[in-house]
Amino acid sequence: MLKIKTKPLIRIIMGSDSDLPVMKQAAEILDEFKVSYEIKITSAHRTPDLMSSYSKNAHKRGIKVIIAGAGGS
C-alpha cells in the first residue's frame, strides 16, 4: 500500500485483521488514484464508544469518507 504524505481524506476501517484482505482492495484503488487515506482496525463490538466518537468527529480531522467493513472473522 502506498504511503501518501498528505492529510488523509478517507479512512478505511474494519473490525479485525481478518477483514484486511477484502478491505485492502479499497486501499489499492485509492493508491491507484493517489487519494490519501488511513487504515484502522477497531472493533465496533468491543469498543463501540471509540467507533461512535471517531465517526462523529472524523470531519474535524478532514476525513470526507469512511469505508467500513467487518465480518471476516
Side-chain angles (χ1 to χ4, degrees), residues 2-15:
L2 182 67
K3 294 279 187 183
I4 299 172
K5 298 197 184 230
T6 59
K7 191 172 184 180
L9 297 174
I10 297 173
R11 176 174 257 202
I12 301 171
I13 194 161
M14 63 206 83

Side-chain angles (χ1 to χ4, degrees), residues 19-59:
D19 300 311
L20 189 56
V22 171
M23 301 305 283
K24 184 179 173 192
Q25 294 174 42
E28 290 169 353
I29 296 296
L30 295 172
D31 287 342
E32 185 177 327
F33 287 99
K34 295 180 175 45
V35 176
S36 60
Y37 64 91
E38 60 188 18
I39 295 179
K40 180 83 171 161
I41 298 171
T42 305
S43 172
H45 297 284
R46 289 185 293 271
T47 57
D49 292 337
L50 177 66
M51 286 297 300
S52 176
S53 175
Y54 178 79
S55 299
K56 290 177 184 175
N57 296 300
H59 69 283

